[in-house]
């Protein structure tokens, strides 16, 4: 229309107007052919040219409808897209494949710390432990979905396995079957290693997972999930996997500053994943009485916690390197992951109030956890391969 009116003249322009109104099937078309109609149209056309400022000075509220309407349309489309999430996306979220890095990282770091001590790596045992750990994590995920379903926390969570499968009983049976298989593999590896310390540590880690989410404890509902997560994946699991790379009848690995400091760092990054997974669930947790840390302190203070946590993580890395508790290679390689840590902080800062976009925060933490764990493991292996002079003091034998 705008282009048509720009080329109007007293002849062809009126003809175009006549064709336009005829195409619109306007009743009373006889008026178009009347002389008075031509006279009125010409008067209005030339009148517009004489009063250009009147159009520009129209009240802004009359023009506000279009952008507001566009915003409403965008919002409705966004809500519709959220409601119609594809089955593939729901399945991906339900499986939580990236979260299984919490099984890989403690095992890899513990094995690398043992390699630094002995120069040996038992590949077969490593993969048995990896498969068993994945089964344990699967039990954690499935049982967590079941018990959150019971309390109503996952009532509107489409990616909940219980909601997708439609069977609470089937899900809980599958969960505890996976736990039994996983613990059987861990027990077998502990017997082969001949180290009862590892068995006790793994039992402690599994117990932390149970009291974290399972009745009658459900300590995660009291805001104690983060300390339990730190203990389970840090000092307990990482140290146990370190000990399982030995053979009790030939040699026994000592507990020293290397494995203890490395396990603390692993526990730190694992706990950060759990903490950031609460950001998008604050309202749901509050509704069912789940007092997660973010329900208690709010998302704005939660961002402050994330910033302090990242700062503390890299400060610990440098402090442990300077004190020679960890090899210098670990400090250098772990420092290279700092940009990703900074990305986590900036992302949480920007979106901590956006419950849709903040959903991705935990996956940024998973990336940091995986990359940091790989850097830490590579640093331990490199210290052995390049004959870096390093004599850690044993704490316990």
């Amino acid at each position: 229309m705008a282009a048509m009116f720009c080329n109007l003249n007293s002849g062809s322009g009126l003809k175009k107007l006549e064709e336009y109104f005829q195409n619109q099937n306007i009743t009373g078309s006889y008026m178009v052919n009347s002389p008075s109609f031509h006279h009125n149209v010409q008067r209005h056309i030339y009148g517009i040219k004489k009063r250009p400022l009147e159009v520009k000075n129209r009240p802004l509220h009359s023009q506000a409808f279009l952008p507001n309407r566009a915003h409403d349309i965008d919002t409705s489309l966004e809500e519709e897209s959220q409601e119609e999430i594809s089955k593939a996306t729901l399945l991906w979220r339900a499986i939580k494949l990236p979260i299984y890095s919490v099984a890989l990282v403690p095992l890899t770091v513990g094995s690398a710390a043992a390699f630094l001590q002995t120069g040996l790596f038992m590949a077969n045992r490593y993969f048995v432990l990896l498969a068993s750990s994945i089964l344990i994590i699967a039990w954690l995920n499935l049982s967590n979905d079941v018990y959150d379903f019971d309390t109503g926390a996952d009532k509107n969570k489409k990616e909940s396995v219980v909601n997708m499968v439609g069977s609470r009983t089937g899900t809980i049976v599958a969960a505890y079957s996976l736990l039994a298989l996983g613990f059987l593999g861990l027990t077998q590896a502990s017997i082969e290693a001949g180290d009862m310390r590892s068995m006790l540590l793994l039992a402690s880690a599994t117990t932390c997972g149970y009291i974290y989410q399972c009745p009658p404890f459900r300590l995660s509902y009291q805001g104690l999930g983060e300390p339990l997560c730190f203990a389970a994946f840090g000092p307990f699991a990482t140290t146990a996997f370190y000990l399982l790379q030995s053979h009790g009848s030939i040699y026994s690995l000592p507990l020293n500053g290397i494995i203890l400091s490395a396990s603390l760092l692993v526990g730190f990054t694992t706990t950060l994943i759990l903490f950031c997974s609460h950001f998008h669930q604050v309202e749901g947790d509050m509704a069912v009485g789940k007092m997660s840390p973010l329900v208690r302190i709010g998302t704005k203070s939660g961002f402050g916690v994330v910033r302090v946590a990242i700062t503390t993580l890299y400060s610990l890395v440098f402090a442990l390197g300077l004190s020679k508790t960890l090899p210098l290679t670990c400090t250098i390689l772990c420092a290279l992951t700092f940009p990703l840590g900074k990305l986590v902080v900036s992302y949480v800062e920007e979106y901590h109030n956006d419950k849709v976009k903040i959903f991705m925060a935990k996956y940024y933490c998973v990336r940091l956890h995986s990359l940091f764990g790989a850097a830490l493991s590579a640093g331990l292996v490199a210290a052995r391969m390049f004959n870096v002079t390093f004599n850690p003091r044993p704490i316990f034998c």
Side-chain angles (χ1 to χ4, degrees):
M1 288 293 291
M4 185 177 73
F5 277 107
C6 286
N7 296 321
L8 280 175
N9 54 47
S10 59
S12 63
L14 295 177
K15 186 176 180 181
K16 291 180 181 179
L17 275 176
E18 181 178 350
E19 292 175 355
Y20 173 79
F21 283 112
Q22 287 176 349
N23 291 334
Q24 298 302 313
N25 295 321
I26 296 180
T27 59
S29 59
Y30 66 91
M31 295 179 61
V32 176
N33 297 319
S34 65
S36 61
F37 172 79
H38 286 272
H39 173 73
N40 289 332
V41 168
Q42 288 179 359
R43 182 169 55 85
H44 283 293
I45 290 172
Y46 295 116
I48 292 173
K49 291 182 179 180
K50 294 179 182 179
R51 299 193 306 270
L53 293 178
E54 292 181 16
V55 176
K56 295 182 179 180
N57 292 330
R58 291 172 62 187
L60 292 177
H61 64 80
S62 64
Q63 304 174 24
F65 172 77
L66 289 178
N68 288 340
R69 180 60 179 166
H71 178 268
D72 292 341
I73 293 173
D74 291 341
T75 303
S76 63
L77 289 174
E78 182 178 354
E79 291 174 354
E80 183 178 350
S81 64
Q82 290 176 12
E83 291 176 359
E84 298 179 359
I85 301 175
S86 66
K87 290 183 179 180
T89 301
L90 288 177
L91 183 61
W92 172 260
R93 291 183 179 181
I95 294 174
K96 302 182 180 78
L97 189 60
I99 301 298
Y100 286 86
S101 64
V102 300
L104 179 64
V105 171
L107 174 59
T108 304
V109 171
S111 300
F115 180 81
L116 175 61
Q117 294 286 113
T118 64
L120 300 175
F121 174 68
M122 299 183 180
N124 291 337
R125 189 175 299 170
Y126 176 90
F127 288 108
V128 169
L129 291 171
L130 178 60
S132 301
S133 300
I134 289 174
L135 293 175
I136 298 291
I137 299 302
W139 160 70
L140 282 172
N141 286 334
L142 290 177
S143 59
N144 183 66
D145 279 0
V146 170
Y147 296 126
D148 279 349
F149 174 82
D150 290 344
T151 60
D154 282 357
K155 180 180 179 181
N156 298 318
K157 188 176 180 181
K158 295 183 179 181
E159 65 268 25
S160 168
V161 175
V162 180
N163 291 334
M164 292 181 67
V165 175
S167 173
R168 179 197 182 279
T169 303
T171 305
I172 196 66
V173 169
Y176 280 96
S177 298
L178 294 173
L179 173 62
L181 290 173
F183 203 77
L184 182 62
L186 296 178
T187 303
Q188 179 184 353
S190 298
I191 293 173
E192 289 180 0
D195 195 320
M196 288 304 298
R197 296 174 298 174
S198 61
M199 192 67 245
L200 291 174
L201 289 169
L202 289 173
S204 299
T206 306
T207 301
C208 286
Y210 185 88
I211 64 177
Y212 164 78
Q213 62 191 9
C214 300
F217 306 101
R218 288 178 176 166
L219 295 185
S220 62
Y221 280 69
Q222 308 304 318
L224 298 176
E226 279 68 19
L228 289 171
C229 177
F230 176 84
F233 291 97
F236 290 157
T238 306
T239 305
F241 292 139
Y242 161 80
L243 295 173
L244 287 173
Q245 281 290 323
S246 67
H247 198 298
S249 61
I250 301 176
Y251 61 89
S252 180
L253 287 168
L255 294 177
N256 52 36
I258 296 177
I259 185 57
L260 292 182
S261 57
S263 67
L264 292 178
L265 294 173
V266 171
F268 216 95
T269 56
T270 309
T271 304
L272 189 61
I273 297 174
L274 177 61
F275 184 83
C276 286
S277 69
H278 296 308
F279 273 100
H280 71 288
Q281 302 182 99
V282 172
E283 293 180 3
D285 289 346
M286 191 180 301
V288 298
K290 186 175 183 179
M291 301 304 294
S292 69
L294 288 173
V295 170
R296 295 178 182 274
I297 66 176
T299 59
K300 185 175 181 179
S301 298
F303 154 66
V305 172
V306 172
R307 181 171 55 188
V308 170
I310 295 295
T311 303
T312 303
L313 175 66
Y314 288 98
S315 298
L316 276 174
V317 168
F318 284 105
L320 293 170
L322 291 174
S323 64
K324 296 184 179 180
T325 305
L326 282 177
L328 182 61
T329 49
C330 291
T331 303
I332 295 173
L333 292 177
C334 287
L336 296 177
T337 67
F338 180 73
L340 187 52
K342 188 177 179 181
L343 175 63
V344 170
V345 174
S346 60
Y347 189 86
V348 174
E349 180 182 16
E350 185 173 359
Y351 297 117
H352 65 86
N353 280 328
D354 188 332
K355 65 180 181 180
V356 175
K357 292 184 178 180
I358 198 61
F359 177 83
M360 289 301 299
K362 65 180 179 181
Y363 289 107
Y364 283 113
C365 291
V366 168
R367 295 178 190 177
L368 174 62
H369 173 66
S370 302
L371 190 60
F372 189 92
L376 183 58
S377 301
L380 293 168
V381 172
R384 177 77 187 195
M385 295 184 68
F386 295 109
N387 296 318
V388 176
T389 303
F390 193 73
N391 296 312
R393 297 178 182 179
I395 299 176
F396 300 106
C397 296

